[in-house]
Amino acid sequence: MYAQMIRSTGSKVKTPEEMDPQERAFQERIDAGGKIEPRDWMPEGYRRTLIRQIGQHAHSEIVGQLPEGNWITRAPTLERKAILLAKVQDEAGHGLYLYCAAETLGVSRDELTRDLLSGKMKYSSIFNYPTLTWADMGAVGWLVDGAAIMNQVPLQRTSYGPYARAMVRICKEESFHQRQGFDIMMKMANGTKEQRAMAQDALDRFWYPSLMMFGPSDENSVHSAQNMAWKIKMNTNDELRQKFVDQTVPQAEFLGLTVPDADLKWNEERGHYDFSEPDWDEFFEVLAGNGPCSADRMEARNKAWDDGAWVREGLLAHAEKKKSRAVAAE
Amino acid sequence: MQNEWPLWEVFIRGQHGLSHRHVGSLHAADAEGAIKNARDVYTRRNEGVSIWVVEARQIAASSPGDKGPFYEPANDKVYRHPGFFDIPDDAGAM
């Protein structure tokens, strides 16, 4: 999930009797599958939670360009380089669709950027891991984008109109991302002994961080309960994680690679794979900003913002000059 | 961070002779920049043959609160829909 542990109101979900008439009408509209649009009335908690969630999702897309950007200049062929470049450009586009959706809730782009750069707002834990070899480009597309799709497909039905519409566009494009990743993995897994070893190593390093993307179990979380009632969260973290494992294990077998989990096995009774939980202490450390690449990522984003200042200011000054000339000519 | 670029709404005509349709918004310093950005953000997969951009603050919108009364005049004019009239099959295609 690109949005992890989104705080909600922190209170338990209100019963219809506890709601005032406006809030009850709002909830009934959501229950009936209706969409909420920017100028409609909404509870303040819904608005704030959505800003947190969509903002974190957008930041993840933007920061998510960095681990892959690392390999653009070192792609093994010109075709692979062009594909990776297109993929990373898509991630920038996804960030922009989502920032726009967040802005319809009354937060400005600059506020969102400031909160990312100061570390106040988070982005997905997964992007704080390094991409050490070309095989990591395969693993990121296959596993990281694969895990993101699990979460994003149901979000196309989320209750907030602009968010749902952004997700529709994103899902169409994510499928390219996952397939290009799997294509890299196939090539590596069917290559030389060294390439196979690189593919296995990439799976070994990205498996548990990918499982962490869904966040810890939230069965008893009041935040998740409220967000599910509002339909801004569609499934529990465990449901999505299970779905991801069930889909991915046969793909690993197809590649001839081994999932790094000795306890992984098919459970006939449940109709699902049993698997080991990731190390949640590691997850909380990474989320707190202590991941292997956390400092690098924040430094790169801050540098990009600072280095781009003269471009932003210059273009604005040029636009104003053009405008005043046009007025003078009238 | 005080000089935020203005917000533009983007409308794109798809390839099938349809009207321009709202696809989203973006920030740009001026109209020319907005069109270029719209090309990169909203037409990476040949989604359009024509782009309109308009500054978001120039758009006037109906108020969601008026939804009931504002559209009410249309509610009692069912005869505007062709299905209102019973035409015998014998009259031929119509």
Coordinates of all heavy atoms in Angstrom, one line a residue, chain A residues 1 214-220 233 235-245 270 275 277 280:
Chain A
M1 N 0.8 -1.2 0.0 CA 0.0 0.0 0.0 C 0.9 1.2 0.0 O 1.8 1.3 0.7 CB -0.8 0.0 1.3 CG -2.3 -0.2 1.0 SD -3.2 0.5 2.4 CE -4.3 -0.9 2.6
F214 N 1.6 -3.4 3.0 CA 0.2 -3.4 3.4 C -0.1 -2.8 4.8 O -1.2 -2.6 5.2 CB -0.4 -4.8 3.2 CG -0.3 -5.3 1.8 CD1 0.8 -6.1 1.4 CD2 -1.2 -4.9 0.8 CE1 0.9 -6.5 0.1 CE2 -1.1 -5.4 -0.5 CZ 0.0 -6.2 -0.8
G215 N 1.0 -2.7 5.6 CA 0.9 -2.2 6.9 C 0.5 -3.4 7.9 O 0.1 -4.5 7.4
P216 N 0.7 -3.2 9.2 CA 0.4 -4.3 10.1 C -1.1 -4.6 10.2 O -1.9 -3.8 9.7 CB 0.9 -3.7 11.5 CG 1.1 -2.3 11.3 CD 1.2 -2.0 9.8
S217 N -1.4 -5.7 10.8 CA -2.8 -6.1 10.9 C -3.6 -5.0 11.5 O -3.2 -4.4 12.5 CB -2.9 -7.4 11.8 OG -4.2 -7.7 11.9
D218 N -4.8 -4.7 10.9 CA -5.6 -3.6 11.4 C -7.0 -4.0 11.7 O -7.9 -3.2 11.7 CB -5.6 -2.4 10.4 CG -6.1 -2.8 9.0 OD1 -6.4 -4.0 8.8 OD2 -6.3 -2.0 8.2
E219 N -7.1 -5.3 12.1 CA -8.4 -5.8 12.4 C -9.1 -5.1 13.5 O -10.3 -4.9 13.5 CB -8.3 -7.3 12.8 CG -9.0 -8.2 11.8 CD -8.6 -9.7 12.1 OE1 -7.4 -10.0 11.9 OE2 -9.4 -10.4 12.7
N220 N -8.3 -4.6 14.5 CA -8.9 -4.0 15.7 C -8.6 -2.5 15.7 O -8.8 -1.9 16.8 CB -8.3 -4.6 17.0 CG -8.6 -6.1 17.0 OD1 -9.7 -6.6 16.7 ND2 -7.5 -6.9 17.2
K233 N -11.1 3.4 2.6 CA -10.2 2.2 2.7 C -11.2 1.0 2.4 O -12.3 1.0 3.0 CB -9.7 2.0 4.1 CG -8.8 0.9 4.4 CD -8.3 0.9 5.8 CE -7.6 -0.4 6.2 NZ -6.3 -0.6 5.5
N235 N -10.4 -2.6 2.0 CA -10.1 -3.9 2.5 C -9.2 -3.8 3.7 O -8.5 -2.8 3.8 CB -9.4 -4.8 1.5 CG -10.1 -4.8 0.2 OD1 -10.0 -4.0 -0.7 ND2 -10.9 -5.8 0.0
T236 N -9.2 -4.8 4.6 CA -8.2 -4.8 5.7 C -6.8 -5.1 5.1 O -6.7 -5.7 4.0 CB -8.5 -5.9 6.7 OG1 -8.3 -7.2 6.2 CG2 -10.0 -5.7 7.3
N237 N -5.8 -4.7 5.9 CA -4.5 -4.9 5.5 C -4.2 -6.4 5.3 O -3.5 -6.8 4.3 CB -3.5 -4.3 6.5 CG -3.6 -2.8 6.6 OD1 -4.2 -2.2 5.7 ND2 -3.0 -2.2 7.6
D238 N -4.7 -7.3 6.2 CA -4.5 -8.7 6.1 C -5.1 -9.3 4.8 O -4.5 -10.2 4.2 CB -5.0 -9.4 7.3 CG -4.1 -9.1 8.6 OD1 -2.9 -8.9 8.4 OD2 -4.7 -9.0 9.7
E239 N -6.3 -8.8 4.5 CA -6.9 -9.4 3.3 C -6.1 -9.1 2.0 O -5.9 -10.0 1.2 CB -8.3 -8.6 3.0 CG -9.5 -9.2 3.8 CD -10.7 -8.2 3.7 OE1 -10.7 -7.2 2.9 OE2 -11.6 -8.4 4.5
L240 N -5.6 -7.9 1.9 CA -4.8 -7.5 0.8 C -3.5 -8.2 0.7 O -3.0 -8.7 -0.3 CB -4.6 -6.0 0.7 CG -5.8 -5.1 0.5 CD1 -5.5 -3.7 0.7 CD2 -6.4 -5.4 -0.9
R241 N -2.9 -8.4 1.9 CA -1.6 -9.1 2.0 C -1.7 -10.5 1.5 O -0.9 -11.1 0.8 CB -1.0 -9.0 3.4 CG 0.4 -9.5 3.5 CD 1.1 -9.3 4.8 NE 0.2 -8.8 5.9 CZ 0.2 -7.6 6.4 NH1 1.0 -6.7 5.9 NH2 -0.7 -7.3 7.4
Q242 N -2.8 -11.2 2.0 CA -3.1 -12.6 1.7 C -3.3 -12.7 0.2 O -2.8 -13.6 -0.5 CB -4.3 -13.1 2.4 CG -4.7 -14.5 2.1 CD -3.7 -15.5 2.8 OE1 -3.6 -15.5 4.0 NE2 -3.0 -16.3 2.0
K243 N -4.0 -11.8 -0.4 CA -4.3 -11.8 -1.8 C -3.0 -11.7 -2.6 O -2.8 -12.3 -3.6 CB -5.2 -10.6 -2.2 CG -6.2 -10.9 -3.2 CD -7.2 -9.8 -3.4 CE -7.7 -9.8 -4.8 NZ -8.4 -8.5 -5.2
F244 N -2.1 -10.8 -2.1 CA -0.9 -10.6 -2.8 C 0.0 -11.8 -2.8 O 0.6 -12.3 -3.8 CB -0.1 -9.4 -2.1 CG 1.3 -9.2 -2.6 CD1 1.5 -8.6 -3.8 CD2 2.4 -9.6 -1.8 CE1 2.8 -8.4 -4.3 CE2 3.7 -9.4 -2.3 CZ 3.9 -8.8 -3.5
V245 N 0.1 -12.5 -1.6 CA 0.9 -13.7 -1.5 C 0.3 -14.8 -2.4 O 1.0 -15.5 -3.1 CB 0.9 -14.2 0.0 CG1 1.5 -15.6 0.1 CG2 1.7 -13.2 0.9
R270 N -7.9 -23.6 4.2 CA -8.2 -22.2 4.0 C -8.3 -21.8 2.6 O -8.9 -20.8 2.2 CB -7.1 -21.3 4.7 CG -7.1 -21.4 6.2 CD -6.4 -20.1 6.8 NE -5.0 -19.9 6.2 CZ -4.7 -18.7 5.7 NH1 -5.5 -17.7 5.7 NH2 -3.5 -18.5 5.2
F275 N 1.9 -18.0 5.5 CA 3.2 -17.4 5.3 C 3.7 -16.7 6.6 O 2.9 -16.5 7.5 CB 3.2 -16.4 4.1 CG 2.1 -15.3 4.3 CD1 2.5 -14.1 4.9 CD2 0.8 -15.5 4.0 CE1 1.6 -13.1 5.0 CE2 -0.1 -14.5 4.2 CZ 0.3 -13.3 4.7
E277 N 5.0 -13.6 8.9 CA 4.9 -12.1 9.0 C 6.2 -11.5 8.8 O 7.3 -12.0 9.2 CB 4.3 -11.7 10.3 CG 2.9 -12.2 10.6 CD 1.9 -11.1 10.1 OE1 2.1 -9.9 10.3 OE2 0.9 -11.5 9.4
W280 N 7.9 -6.5 12.1 CA 7.2 -5.3 12.2 C 8.0 -4.2 12.9 O 7.8 -3.0 12.8 CB 5.8 -5.5 12.9 CG 4.9 -6.2 11.9 CD1 4.4 -7.5 12.1 CD2 4.4 -5.8 10.7 NE1 3.7 -7.8 11.0 CE2 3.6 -6.8 10.1 CE3 4.6 -4.6 9.9 CZ2 3.0 -6.7 8.9 CZ3 4.0 -4.4 8.7 CH2 3.2 -5.5 8.2

